[in-house]
Amino acid sequence: GAVVSQHPSRVICKSGTSVKIECRSLDFQATTMFWYRQFPKKSLMLMATSNEGSKATYEQGVEKDKFLINHASLTLSTLTVTSAHPEDSSFYICSARAGGGGNQPQHFGDGTRLSIL
Amino acid sequence: GENVEQHPSTLSVQEGDSAVIKCTYSDSASNYFPWYKQELGKGPQLIIDIRSNVGEKKDQRIAVTLNKTAKHFSLHITETQPEDSAVYFCAATLGSHNDMRFGAGTRLTVKP
């Protein structure tokens, strides 16, 4: 089946640090990648959608200068949390989808637990 | 935009019993409905999906039904096992859009 690898799985760092999270599709080409944030015992909240070679589309309320997304290839997208603060602590999950539009499945990574001290 | 409502929020069943989780959606143009299972500390894993041109799909102990008229779809797990314990999310997506909207999740506990 489709495999999505997300790294790192856990990050603990000081306030003010920038953190980069990588999302890779290992056995398929991901035309579109998604970044979600999940709070404890809550559902997934879509942050942004990125298509390979294009600028990401951010959901309302998500600061694009705070959460930098790069989707430079069909197998890699990165999310950089710039100048992270304790309120940015959360579980971040990426997903990837091959071509075919919205009626194709998204395949998720195992998430990154970000803790800002 | 699309709203997806999911019920119940928690479900506890005895091993061997069946479990049913229900979702409703608001946009009649929605045409793809996946179900995901999320275990603690992991990302969601796709377990079954259904498209709007069929009413039911089954894969071993898991089945999904879709009622387009009523705009609801359900996940059925038969002969539940303790390893089925997890949080289950339904989702719905428009074919013309890139995003997927998730339900709030159902925490299923299967008691041995």
Side-chain angles (χ1 to χ4, degrees), chain A residues 21-74:
Chain A
I21 303 169
E22 290 189 351
C23 182
R24 294 181 185 272
S25 57
L26 298 186
D27 53 358
F28 68 101
Q29 292 187 324
T31 305
T32 308
M33 286 187 168
F34 306 84
W35 289 94
Y36 294 85
R37 186 171 178 174
Q38 187 176 35
F39 292 100
K41 298 185 178 181
K42 297 293 184 182
S43 188
L44 294 95
M45 183 185 75
L46 180 65
M47 299 174 64
T49 301
S50 72
N51 291 295
E52 184 265 339
S54 303
K55 288 184 178 180
T57 301
Y58 290 81
E59 294 298 299
Q60 190 173 9
V62 178
E63 300 175 55
K64 62 179 181 180
D65 294 330
K66 174 76 172 177
F67 299 99
L68 301 179
I69 290 172
N70 183 279
H71 190 168
S73 77
L74 284 172

Side-chain angles (χ1 to χ4, degrees), chain A residues 11 21 43 60 64 67 89 91-92 98 107 116:
Chain A
V11 179
I21 303 169
S43 188
Q60 190 173 9
K64 62 179 181 180
F67 299 99
S89 298
F91 193 51
Y92 293 88
H107 301 283
I116 308 298

Side-chain angles (χ1 to χ4, degrees), chain A residues 9 12 18 29 35 53 69 73 87 95 99 102 106 108 117:
Chain A
S9 59
I12 303 173
S18 291
Q29 292 187 324
W35 289 94
I69 290 172
S73 77
E87 57 266 29
S95 71
Q106 291 183 25
F108 287 82
L117 305 177

Side-chain angles (χ1 to χ4, degrees), chain A residues 34 38 43 97 102-103 105-106 109, chain B residues 32 36 38 43 51 93 98 103:
Chain A
F34 306 84
Q38 187 176 35
S43 188
R97 188 182 70 200
N103 63 352
Q106 291 183 25
Chain B
Y32 177 62
Y36 289 87
Q38 186 178 26
R51 291 181 173 78
T93 186
N98 282 326

